[in-house]
Amino acid sequence: MELPAVGLLVALRYLTLRGVPEHALKAGTRLLHLSGLPTLALNTAEPLLTGH
């Protein structure tokens, strides 16, 4: 996992535990989900292309 993604995950967890409303965390959660898609694509592209 990339360091910025870990930082965002920790920050979202911290804010959730501190009682920040869910609607205030929506943008951060969306960013975390959207950044996961290219990471998944990059991590699976080579094995799929090489047949592993």
Side-chain angles (χ1 to χ4, degrees):
M1 198 173 212
E2 297 175 358
L3 190 57
V6 172
L8 183 57
L9 189 61
V10 169
L12 287 171
R13 180 70 177 150
Y14 175 80
L15 292 172
T16 301
L17 291 175
R18 296 294 178 245
V20 175
E22 186 177 327
H23 67 85
L25 302 174
K26 192 165 288 237
T29 304
R30 188 176 301 128
L31 178 63
L32 185 62
H33 290 156
L34 289 176
S35 68
L37 292 174
T39 302
L40 178 65
L42 288 172
N43 288 336
T44 57
E46 184 182 0
L48 289 175
L49 293 174
T50 59
H52 288 112

